[in-house]
Amino acid sequence: MKPMTNFMRTLAAGAVVAVGLAGAAVAQDLKFFTIGTGGTAYTYYPVGGVIANAISKPPGSRPCDEGGSCGVDGLIASAVSSRGSVDNVNAINSGLRNSGFAQSDVAYWAYTGTGTMEGQPPATDLRTIAALFEEHIHLVASADSGINSVADLKGKRVSLDEPGSGTYVDAGLILEASGLSLDDVTAEALKGNAASDALRNGRIDAFFVVAGYPTGSLVELASAADIKLVPIEGAGAEALTEKYGFFAQSDIPAGTYEGVGATPTVAVGAQWFTSAKEDDDLIYEITKALWNDNSRKLLDVGHAKGKTITAESALNGIGVPLHVGAERFYREAGLLK
């Protein structure tokens, strides 16, 4: 082999430097952004995955107009499973996560230090990116349980979901509105498929789920066992919606779950939050990416709830201020005056 000439050595050294600089540029441009969701069996997690995919555009991705990613340049977003609304708000507040989904009531109480968050320091840095979809409160029981109303839960074994979830908060409010307390039930803290399995095995009599319908774990449960959705209606539902403006009376349609008829219940908004400390330009670009035409296609096919996530409803029921970056996008888009 011929010895390397000075010229070749110079070329080789230059190539190494070029590769190193290119690698440094890629590393410098790369940004990570987490989205706290919920349990993997419920709605937050799969919807979070669709949104993370929509707003991501890793270095080296094909251009949007060539069929590639239409997200934020250099961004890798990830949907992170969590305990739910309260957990996500706390994680945003502490800086553990960049963003997260939460029920509108939980977020407002955290931001103001009121309601179920009274006595805790207000999460004054909490900011809204978008309202996403409506979540319905499911009270699930076996078809032959004899549980036909919230009042019938007295003395029963009921899963309220994990502390740190929005479901846990709302279950307590629903019991209270119907004249019951946590002391009137034997409370369990089961989530997702664990709650479904416990109901099928007779270890609990009922469980609460707050999620956009149809939610995966309940679809599976209804296909394997005879279940009912217990109505949340009458004086209890009216008391709840009158006291807390975030709740609205709404039905889960017949056929949403196999063998289950239309069921009156109450609903609350699911929204996407971040911290005021997040970079204004980054949140602007994320909000812009969320509502581009390519993301619309991903939302429409990515989850049953996706079609209801629209820019036109992105400001509905907002109780926490918009992030400056998100606000800039909505003003430019003519959605906010």
Side-chain angles (χ1 to χ4, degrees):
M1 181 179 292
K2 294 182 179 180
M4 184 179 288
T5 66
N6 289 335
F7 176 69
M8 292 173 66
R9 289 192 186 95
T10 301
L11 284 180
V16 170
V17 171
V19 170
L21 289 174
V26 168
Q28 189 176 28
D29 292 342
L30 193 61
K31 299 180 287 286
F32 295 94
F33 193 83
T34 50
I35 305 172
T37 59
T40 56
Y42 294 156
T43 311
Y44 277 9
Y45 185 74
V47 169
V50 174
I51 290 177
N53 187 35
I55 67 173
S56 294
K57 188 177 181 181
S61 299
R62 282 188 301 163
C64 177
D65 57 6
E66 295 179 12
S69 172
C70 299
V72 180
D73 286 337
L75 185 70
I76 297 178
S78 57
V80 181
S81 177
S82 77
R83 288 181 293 174
S85 294
V86 177
D87 185 34
N88 290 336
V89 168
N90 290 338
I92 293 168
N93 198 39
S94 68
L96 180 64
R97 297 186 195 117
N98 301 107
S99 72
F101 299 161
Q103 294 165 202
S104 56
D105 54 338
V106 169
Y108 177 78
W109 289 328
Y111 175 72
T112 57
T114 60
T116 60
M117 305 294 182
E118 189 170 359
Q120 299 183 32
T124 53
D125 280 337
L126 196 64
R127 294 292 184 270
T128 304
I129 296 176
L132 298 177
F133 56 87
E134 194 174 46
E135 294 188 275
H136 284 68
I137 298 176
H138 301 62
L139 176 51
V140 187
S142 57
D144 59 359
S145 64
I147 300 173
N148 299 307
S149 68
V150 176
D152 292 336
L153 295 178
K154 187 171 184 178
K156 303 293 187 181
R157 297 162 298 172
V158 185
S159 175
L160 310 178
D161 207 318
E162 296 176 332
S165 69
T167 297
Y168 185 88
V169 172
D170 288 350
L173 296 178
I174 290 165
L175 291 173
E176 179 185 16
S178 299
L180 300 177
S181 72
L182 295 181
D183 293 335
D184 289 316
V185 302
T186 300
E188 299 286 348
L190 303 174
K191 198 173 197 74
N193 293 327
S196 295
D197 291 343
L199 185 75
R200 289 181 63 187
N201 296 331
R203 292 191 287 113
I204 60 173
D205 300 299
F207 65 94
F208 284 92
V209 176
V210 180
Y213 66 75
T215 187
S217 64
L218 297 187
V219 171
E220 293 178 11
L221 176 61
S223 68
D226 293 330
I227 64 167
K228 66 168 65 174
L229 293 181
V230 179
I232 301 173
E233 59 182 346
E238 291 174 7
L240 187 71
T241 54
E242 286 177 9
K243 185 174 182 179
Y244 303 108
F246 301 100
F247 293 102
Q249 297 186 59
S250 183
D251 290 355
I252 297 174
T256 300
Y257 304 105
E258 186 177 333
V260 179
T263 308
T265 185
V266 291
V268 67
Q271 300 177 354
W272 187 12
F273 299 94
T274 188
S275 170
K277 297 175 182 176
E278 291 291 334
D279 182 75
D280 294 353
D281 290 337
L282 176 61
I283 299 300
Y284 168 81
E285 293 295 339
I286 284 173
T287 310
K288 184 178 180 180
L290 174 64
W291 301 123
N292 69 34
D293 291 341
N294 189 64
S295 296
R296 175 75 273 144
K297 296 172 186 175
L298 293 175
L299 289 167
D300 286 345
V301 303
H303 190 272
K305 213 66 181 175
K307 291 183 179 180
T308 69
I309 301 174
T310 67
E312 290 70 29
S313 61
L315 303 178
N316 289 358
I318 297 294
V320 173
L322 286 165
H323 189 283
V324 170
E327 181 178 349
R328 172 156 53 110
F329 169 80
Y330 291 120
R331 289 192 186 281
E332 288 181 0
L335 296 170
L336 182 66
K337 296 182 179 179

